[in-house]
Amino acid sequence: MSKNNILKLNVANDLGYGSVKAKVEDTNIHFPSVIAIQREQDLNKPVEFNSNQEKLTYLEGMINHMDVTISSSAVKTQGRFLVGNAAIKSSLPLKAFDVNDFTGKSDNDLAIILTLSMIAAQRISLAVKNGEDLSDQLSTEINMTTALPVSEGKKNGIINNYVNKYIGSKHTVVFHNFKDPITVSLNFKNVYVALEGEVAQLYLKNSDIKLQGLIKQDFSKNYPELANDIKVSDLVKIDNLLGIDIGEGTTDLVVIKEGHANAVASTSLPTGYGNALQDAIDVLQTENMNFEARSQLQDYLAQEVSPLAKRMQTKVRQIVFEQLEPFADKIVTAASKTMRKAGANVEILYVYGGGSIPMLEQTALRQKLSQKMKDFSGGIDVPVIWINKSYAQNLNEKGLELILKAMNK
């Protein structure tokens, strides 16, 4: 084993209400934004392995096995946590972001716990690959970009306070999976906090070839009379637009005017796809269906079930879909208010975010937005472009990567 050094990590961290989408150095990460607080009777025995290769594989995939305690002045919640996929698999009560209250991510310990655990897990993975001694403390220096919802980030002092939680504290994460715990110290050198939606628009303007092809495909399908006259390179360069980022707990509406974000007109709807899921859970419970958490319901909806269970899954899906149309109406109303405040000639509307996928497939949101945009353009079509599901959930993270590269130049 080689001597341990302070490892410098670059982190683009899109911390969503439903899931974390991040890139740590060259590794893409995606896991649910949940933890489970363990009681004494919940603690597992140390993990044992049948071979050294099995142990190495486990350590390199620590992101899926996070069992941690955290020492940090930025974290008030005490205890031993299972984080992300480890929490989901535990069957313990899950703690997620509350999509119903009005507190933001920056005030929630969960944001810090998820971030510190994720980076520490990747530090262990890299230590294994580098042949470092896991019995010694693993030290890390971090440059990070992350984002907050527009309405939260616009509040006076919020971004500075959030940055200081990372930079102004010492952080130590201890992993308890093994007989001998592994300790990781985290030192944040630079933290940049962007606004969700705005950072997604940054990536759209600098989109890769594959994304441009998907944008062209959506545009051509829905506006064939314009497709021959307008190139996709022209679409992504438009400087006056509205972007709607439908997330788990918020829906950000971002106005770009003359190439710059209009902070006055841009806003957040304090409702996301997760609120519709929560409403569905309330209905499901009244019908004696045992769903308690949004992540549990989402996992069930995505499963391939047996023919015998198909009827129940179909019924659950129908109950979920019934909650989506009222949510679509809220988005249209918010878009109308935003357009009124924008006072600009919006030439195109982009819709993205994890919640945009079911909203396209199961509601009339696209048609409703198209009609609403006509109400502000004298009846002329304003193209509504739906970002393909292969990119919809990751635009903010990809925009954060661009900012991170600029920080490191």
Side-chain angles (χ1 to χ4, degrees), residues 49-330:
F49 304 98
N50 294 320
S51 67
N52 189 55
Q53 183 57 51
E54 186 180 356
K55 181 179 180 180
L56 290 175
T57 301
Y58 184 96
L59 287 164
E60 289 179 2
M62 280 302 294
I63 199 72
N64 296 311
H65 313 294
M66 293 183 281
D67 179 355
V68 303
T69 54
I70 294 175
S71 175
S72 168
S73 59
V75 178
K76 298 180 180 65
T77 306
Q78 298 299 308
R80 181 166 157 180
F81 313 119
L82 293 174
V83 181
N85 291 320
I88 295 287
K89 294 174 183 176
S90 71
S91 299
L92 295 174
L94 300 177
K95 182 176 177 62
F97 287 107
D98 188 343
V99 295
N100 297 305
D101 69 20
F102 291 99
T103 60
K105 293 178 192 173
S106 62
D107 290 329
N108 197 317
D109 275 359
L110 188 57
I112 309 297
I113 292 169
L114 293 168
T115 298
L116 297 181
S117 300
M118 170 189 70
I119 298 173
Q122 287 306 107
R123 178 66 179 91
I124 292 173
S125 176
L126 290 168
V128 172
K129 293 175 182 177
N130 295 336
E132 296 180 63
D133 188 349
L134 300 183
S135 65
D136 292 336
Q137 179 172 277
L138 302 174
S139 299
T140 313
E141 283 188 0
I142 301 146
N143 293 320
M144 183 174 77
T145 54
T146 189
L148 291 173
V150 171
S151 59
E152 183 179 0
K154 282 166 56 177
K155 293 177 182 177
N156 188 39
I158 289 293
I159 285 180
N160 285 339
N161 290 339
Y162 191 45
V163 168
N164 286 335
K165 285 189 175 184
Y166 291 107
I167 290 183
S169 302
K170 292 183 178 180
H171 316 280
T172 303
V173 181
V174 180
F175 286 77
H176 299 278
N177 306 65
F178 318 102
K179 180 180 178 181
D180 297 317
I182 300 174
T183 302
V184 182
S185 69
L186 305 175
N187 178 24
F188 288 84
K189 302 297 290 183
N190 297 292
V191 175
Y192 181 89
V193 179
L195 298 180
E196 294 171 4
E198 290 184 3
V199 73
Q201 292 296 155
L202 174 66
Y203 190 75
L204 278 174
K205 190 141 191 171
N206 297 276
S207 51
D208 58 69
I209 295 298
K210 180 181 178 183
L211 177 55
Q212 288 190 23
L214 293 169
I215 290 172
K216 181 67 174 178
Q217 182 179 335
D218 186 89
F219 182 67
S220 299
K221 178 181 177 181
N222 292 282
Y223 303 94
E225 70 283 3
L226 300 175
N228 291 330
D229 299 325
I230 300 176
K231 298 177 181 178
V232 67
S233 57
D234 296 324
L235 290 177
V236 298
K237 289 178 181 177
I238 289 173
D239 284 337
N240 297 294
L241 59 92
L242 173 62
I244 300 180
D245 182 358
I246 307 174
E248 180 91 359
T250 60
T251 299
D252 291 309
L253 297 99
V254 179
V255 176
I256 306 295
K257 184 177 181 180
E258 297 178 2
H260 301 286
N262 186 328
V264 174
S266 299
T267 188
S268 291
L269 182 67
T271 306
Y273 177 60
N275 295 86
L277 288 178
Q278 193 61 56
D279 290 342
I281 287 173
D282 295 340
V283 176
L284 290 165
Q285 288 178 345
T286 63
E287 299 199 10
N288 299 320
M289 295 187 183
N290 187 26
F291 292 96
E292 295 183 357
R294 300 190 309 275
S295 55
Q296 180 190 14
L297 178 56
Q298 286 175 303
D299 186 56
Y300 177 77
L301 291 172
Q303 284 179 11
E304 287 290 334
V305 299
S306 69
L308 194 61
K310 201 71 176 175
R311 288 179 301 167
M312 179 177 171
Q313 190 184 57
T314 300
K315 183 176 181 179
V316 170
R317 281 191 171 136
Q318 183 59 40
I319 289 171
V320 171
F321 298 156
E322 287 171 358
Q323 315 307 314
L324 296 182
E325 207 62 57
F327 176 40
D329 292 335
K330 289 182 180 180

Side-chain angles (χ1 to χ4, degrees), residues 14 16-19 21 30 244-252 271-277 298 320-321 323-325 327-328 331 351-363 365-366 369 386-389 391-396:
D14 179 21
Y17 281 93
S19 62
K21 288 83 62 183
H30 188 182
I244 300 180
D245 182 358
I246 307 174
E248 180 91 359
T250 60
T251 299
D252 291 309
T271 306
Y273 177 60
N275 295 86
L277 288 178
Q298 286 175 303
V320 171
F321 298 156
Q323 315 307 314
L324 296 182
E325 207 62 57
F327 176 40
I331 293 174
V351 185
Y352 43 86
S356 70
I357 302 167
M359 296 304 290
L360 174 64
E361 296 172 348
Q362 304 300 334
T363 75
L365 179 58
R366 179 173 211 145
L369 284 172
W386 226 271
I387 298 301
N388 186 274
K389 59 186 178 182
Y391 278 83
Q393 199 174 10
N394 299 315
L395 286 186
N396 282 307

